[in-house]
Amino acid sequence: GVTKRHRSNEKETSVYMASKACEMAMKNAGVSPESIDLYLFCNWTERYYLPDLAPQASLLNGTKNALAFDLGTACTGFVHGVQTASCYLQTGKWKKALVVGAERFSERTKRGGYGEFTAGDAAAAVVMEYTGNTDTGIVDTCLYDVGSLVDVITCTAPAGLIRSYPDLVTNAADYSLKAIDLLLERNGIKEGDITWVVPHPGTDIVVKDI
């Protein structure tokens, strides 16, 4: 279902994209930068040893009261970010959190290669606040790892280009369905109760007329 992909330019770094997404999220939520006290930046495509990206983006957003740090768990980064923010907020010590995912995936694919058809650059952010109201908000999340499949997709130094294998697509689909089944089962929800299912974009793209 993907019809086009966007590529950032040299100035549109992950930090830049993250700050713009967070700016819009705060505006939509009607909150001020000063009210944010937790800032989680989910990114793996522009990771460095040091410094973290989160404090840089937080500075651009003016969220001067926020604890800012990075999370680098690739495709599951944003879900990990939401889970982590939820844990912090439930302690009561943090009131409002910004969770942002920003990636320059095009920087991790070989120019002119097939991988360019599966790569895009973008950012999205959400403002989270713990209210104690169980009728709204996050119902449940599910993440688990399968260590035996670590080699189906790699991105190693020095080139830092991503490489995936045919088993990736099959395993990704299978384990996504297992996660959905688990969520439905442990929350007593039937398939007919679900209005929307938004899956992770696949990489099994058919390219025609090339």
Side-chain angles (χ1 to χ4, degrees):
V2 177
T3 58
K4 62 180 179 179
R5 296 179 186 273
H6 297 272
R7 167 170 284 164
S8 59
N9 61 37
E10 292 181 358
K11 295 182 179 180
E12 294 168 332
T13 64
S14 292
V15 168
Y16 171 85
M17 292 191 295
S19 68
K20 291 299 182 182
C22 286
E23 181 181 318
M24 290 186 285
M26 287 188 289
K27 181 179 179 180
N28 290 341
V31 301
S32 66
E34 293 79 13
S35 68
I36 301 296
D37 47 19
L38 185 65
Y39 193 116
L40 303 187
F41 192 144
C42 310
N43 174 277
W44 72 272
T45 53
E46 283 195 291
R47 291 282 300 156
Y48 305 99
Y49 291 112
L50 284 174
D52 271 8
L53 303 177
Q56 301 173 59
S58 180
L59 180 64
L60 292 177
N61 284 128
T63 49
K64 59 184 180 181
N65 298 318
L67 166 65
F69 60 90
D70 292 6
L71 289 172
T73 53
C75 296
T76 58
F78 193 80
V79 181
H80 271 114
V82 168
Q83 287 183 323
T84 303
S86 179
C87 292
Y88 272 78
L89 293 172
Q90 289 183 57
T91 68
K93 296 180 179 179
W94 287 267
K95 306 301 181 182
K96 289 186 178 67
L98 262 174
V99 179
V100 58
E103 303 287 3
R104 296 181 78 197
F105 203 101
S106 63
E107 295 297 306
R108 295 288 164 249
T109 57
K110 184 179 180 181
R111 294 295 173 94
Y114 176 77
E116 282 197 297
F117 293 105
T118 67
D121 303 333
V126 63
V127 175
M128 295 178 62
E129 179 179 14
Y130 181 68
T131 64
N133 184 354
T134 58
D135 294 329
T136 61
I138 299 171
V139 175
D140 196 2
T141 60
C142 172
L143 279 173
Y144 55 91
D145 59 81
V146 185
S148 60
L149 297 175
V150 295
D151 292 326
V152 298
I153 183 168
T154 59
C155 185
T156 57
L161 299 179
I162 195 165
R163 183 177 182 181
S164 61
Y165 297 86
D167 291 348
L168 171 64
V169 174
T170 301
N171 281 289
D174 289 346
Y175 282 102
S176 294
L177 291 174
K178 288 182 179 180
I180 292 173
D181 288 340
L182 177 61
L183 284 172
L184 293 175
E185 180 181 353
R186 73 186 186 192
N187 289 282
I189 299 174
K190 303 296 183 182
E191 291 180 8
D193 299 327
I194 303 300
T195 305
W196 289 92
V197 176
V198 184
H200 185 294
T203 56
D204 53 339
I205 297 173
V206 177
V207 181
K208 299 180 179 178
D209 301 324
I210 296 299

